[in-house]
Amino acid sequence: MTIEALSQSVIKGDMQGAAELTEKALTEGIDPQEILDKGLIAAMDVVGQRFADGAMFVPQMLRSAKTMQNCVAVLKPHFQDGGIKTKGKIIMGTVKGDLHDIGKNLVAMMLEGAGFQVVDLGVDVAPDAYVSALESEQAQVVGMSALLSTTMPAMAQTIDALKAAGKRDGVKVMIGGAPVTAEYASNIGADCYAPDAGSAVVEVKKLIGA
Ligand code: B12
C-alpha cells in the first residue's frame, strides 16, 4: 500500500523515492491530510523512537527530516485555498537553541492555507528577535515551537521579553511542539497551546475571532 511504502521510505531517508510516492498517493486520490498524518508524521514518530532506542543516529534522523520536507513540499499546494490572506497576521518561529522546524513549518503551512498571513522567523529565534519582529510586523499572534525539553524555557523567556518591551498585552501567544503541554502553556502565561497543526488553526481562529 502506498502510504505504508511512503512511511518506510521516509524512515529510510529515500528522498527521491518518498517524493515520488507522495505524488503517487495524491494520484491515487488519497486525502492529503491522511498522507501527512499516516505517511509522514507517523514515520517521524518511528524515527524518533529509533533514535531514542539508539538504533538510529543524528545523520539518519536528519536525512529522514529532509525526506519529509521534500514530501511536504509536494503536498503544500493541496493545503492552500488560494484565498486572499486577510484573516490576520501571525509571527512563527522555533525558539532559541532549537533547530527543529518541520512541525513549525507545518503549522505555518496550515495557517497560510486557512487564509492567515504568516511571518516565519525560522529557527533558533532569540526572545529579542520576536520582540523586534512584533514591532515591525504588527502581528496579532506570536507562535513559538520547541521540540527539546531544554529549549522550552526559552518560551517563557520570550514572554518575559514581550512584557519587558510593553508588547505582551497587545498580542496573543500560542505555543506548541512535542514536549509542550497545555499545562505548561498555562504555567508560563501563554494564551494557548495546540497539539498539532490542524488544531493550531482552530485555536488561532478562537484567539483572534477570525
Ligand atoms: C527530525 C528530528 C531532528 C532533526 C530536525 C530537522 C528539522 N529540520 O527539523 C535533527 C537531526 C536536526 C535533530 C536534531 C536534534 N534532536 Co531531534 N528529533 C527529530 C524527530 C525525529 C522528529 C521531529 C519532527 O520533525 N516531528 C514531526 C513534526 C511534524 O512533529 P512536531 O515537530 O512535534 O510538530 C507538530 C506538533 O508538535 C505541533 N507543533 C509544533 N510546533 C508548534 C508550534 C505551535 C505554535 C503550535 C500551536 C503547534 C506546534 O504541530 C506540529 C504538526 O502537527 C524527533 C522525534 C519526535 N518524534 O518528535 C527528535 C527529537 C525531538 N530530537 C531530540 C534530540 C535529543 C535532538 C538532538 C539534541 C540530538 C543530538 N544529540 O544532537 C538535536 C538537537 C538540535 C537542536 N539544537 O535543535 C529528542 C528530544 C528529547 C527532548 N524531549 O528533549 C527527540 C524527541 C528524539 C528522541 N526521542 O530522543 N532532530
Side-chain angles (χ1 to χ4, degrees):
M1 189 192 154
T2 308
I3 290 277
E4 178 54 25
L6 172 59
S7 229
Q8 288 305 325
S9 65
V10 173
I11 295 166
K12 274 190 265 162
D14 174 4
M15 295 190 206
Q16 175 84 22
E20 282 166 17
L21 282 165
T22 306
E23 299 271 14
K24 183 164 182 262
L26 286 168
T27 319
E28 285 171 7
I30 303 174
D31 181 28
Q33 188 68 51
E34 189 180 340
I35 301 174
L36 180 65
D37 292 341
K38 298 193 181 152
L40 305 180
I41 294 181
M44 293 313 278
D45 285 342
V46 174
V47 170
Q49 191 53 51
R50 291 194 183 169
F51 175 78
D53 296 343
M56 213 164 170
F57 301 96
V58 172
Q60 289 118 301
M61 192 155 73
L62 192 55
R63 201 175 162 88
S64 291
K66 285 191 177 146
T67 305
M68 166 149 183
Q69 281 163 340
N70 282 355
C71 300
V72 169
V74 174
L75 285 183
K76 192 170 178 181
H78 297 266
F79 284 106
Q80 285 174 345
D81 61 7
I84 305 158
K85 315 219 179 307
T86 53
K87 282 191 185 156
K89 202 191 247 189
I90 297 148
I91 290 173
M92 279 293 302
T94 300
V95 295
K96 188 166 174 53
D98 202 318
L99 303 176
H100 295 85
D101 67 357
I102 297 178
K104 182 263 297 167
N105 293 346
L106 280 176
V107 173
M109 181 179 94
M110 293 296 188
L111 286 168
E112 282 175 352
F116 293 92
Q117 187 183 347
V118 177
V119 179
D120 190 344
L121 304 182
V123 297
D124 192 17
V125 181
D128 286 353
Y130 282 101
V131 174
S132 353
L134 189 58
E135 278 163 359
S136 57
E137 297 291 348
Q138 313 283 320
Q140 288 100 322
V141 180
V142 168
M144 290 186 266
S145 179
L147 263 285
L148 300 170
S149 35
T150 49
T151 56
M152 284 166 63
M155 294 176 150
Q157 287 155 16
T158 303
I159 292 177
D160 287 346
L162 289 171
K163 282 184 192 155
K167 298 276 166 202
R168 177 65 186 97
D169 291 342
V171 73
K172 300 288 184 192
V173 175
M174 174 172 72
I175 64 170
V180 179
T181 59
E183 191 189 2
Y184 184 73
S186 123
N187 287 347
I188 66 167
D191 296 297
C192 90
Y193 155 82
D196 54 58
S199 39
V201 173
V202 175
E203 291 301 328
V204 166
K205 284 183 178 167
K206 276 196 236 160
L207 273 182
I208 62 173

